[in-house]
Amino acid sequence: MTPWHAVVLTLHPAAFPGPLGVSLAGKALAEGVWTLETVDIRAYARDKHATVDDSPFGGGPGMVMRPDVLAAAIDATQGPAGTEEALILLTPRGQPLTQARVRALAQTPRVRVVCGRYEGVDERVIDARGLEEVSVGDFVLSGGEPAAIALIDACVRLLPGVVGAPASLADESFEDDLLEYPHYTRPQVWEEREVPEVLLSGHHERVRAWRRAAAEGATAERRPDLWARHTATKRHAN
Ligand code: ADE
């Protein structure tokens, strides 16, 4: 099977693989479960100063990434004809990334991500190349690179064989629109704090029910947005 392929277009290729080169993602990369191609957008600049940005029409602070340079980088990194692909621009103006979108991307054989930089990217290249704008949260990073790493990491851990036990994927946060239940390990008593009795009982059905209730309680309290979706679409214990 051809490995899952990520292509990152960036002005900072040295940021990669970064954290993607260690732990689960790094091991899977070394094993060839997925492949990473980093493309330096600056290599597609046309002038001798390798200009990739310019000041915004209309005035205002900062610099804007030029559409012609970015389009040249995008056009030069087209996948093989017929390969299903996602083409993403990371930007705080994008749709918030969700586990559902991550699941879909992990099943898309080629995912190309453009890391935005400076104050933004000329709007015309977003339209002309049909970039899907994605945000990793309602906060502003200094560039798309950490966001690209987060997106790719979230996809890679869902690839077959990357996470040891498939059960740990089924149980985790955002499955079923619920946050995950809390975890405990040894020592059984730590700083006079005990582990919930039910977890020591060996009674699998009671453990399962306790975890479900704890997941629901945490979700209702911390994430009313998720909780509303959960109660609207899923059966729950209450
Ligand atoms: N670039 C800067 N901030 C970002 C964010 N929150 N998500 C995705 N890309 C970004």
Side-chain angles (χ1 to χ4, degrees):
M1 216 182 82
T2 40
W4 188 80
H5 188 51
V7 184
V8 179
L9 282 68
T10 172
L11 291 171
H12 300 285
F16 297 88
L20 296 171
V22 300
S23 191
L24 287 177
K27 184 163 168 279
L29 184 59
E31 287 170 350
V33 176
W34 69 290
T35 49
L36 175 65
E37 182 183 340
T38 308
V39 175
D40 187 354
I41 296 171
R42 196 173 297 279
Y44 294 89
R46 284 130 192 241
D47 62 322
K48 67 170 192 273
H49 302 293
T51 308
V52 294
D53 61 324
D54 211 326
S55 47
F57 282 120
M63 301 291 268
V64 177
M65 202 183 277
R66 290 174 56 116
D68 53 349
V69 176
L70 183 52
I74 290 171
D75 295 346
T77 54
Q78 226 68 267
T83 302
E84 197 196 336
E85 191 199 54
L87 179 55
I88 291 170
L89 171 67
L90 292 158
T91 162
R93 298 186 68 219
Q95 287 295 315
L97 185 61
T98 61
Q99 190 65 19
R101 185 72 190 114
V102 167
R103 275 193 288 268
L105 290 171
Q107 296 197 3
T108 304
R110 191 173 198 265
V111 174
R112 211 161 18 138
V113 299
V114 177
C115 301
R117 204 65 198 177
Y118 306 113
E119 263 39 50
V121 170
D122 188 300
E123 188 70 16
R124 293 167 296 177
V125 68
I126 300 173
D127 292 342
R129 294 298 182 272
L131 301 180
E132 173 190 349
E133 295 176 84
V134 172
S135 166
V136 295
D138 289 341
F139 47 83
V140 182
L141 301 164
S142 51
E145 287 76 12
I149 288 167
L151 182 150
I152 293 168
D153 180 85
C155 292
V156 165
R157 59 188 295 288
L158 297 185
L159 300 176
V162 174
V163 168
S168 53
L169 293 178
D171 247 20
E172 70 191 6
S173 289
F174 307 115
E175 286 302 324
D176 229 10
D177 288 323
L178 287 176
L179 299 179
E180 201 175 4
Y181 51 78
H183 302 275
Y184 300 87
T185 187
R186 275 174 282 278
Q188 195 175 315
V189 180
W190 175 71
E191 293 192 350
E192 293 166 33
R193 294 162 189 263
E194 295 184 13
V195 169
E197 184 64 38
V198 59
L199 300 181
L200 312 173
S201 69
H203 194 304
H204 295 302
E205 188 46 38
R206 281 181 56 216
V207 169
R208 197 201 61 76
W210 182 88
R211 285 179 169 165
R212 180 76 182 181
E216 292 183 351
T219 308
E221 187 184 312
R222 299 173 180 198
R223 292 291 302 274
D225 56 328
L226 280 185
W227 182 244
R229 207 161 64 198
H230 173 77
T231 52
T233 58
K234 311 268 163 44
R235 286 190 305 121
H236 61 103
N238 293 333

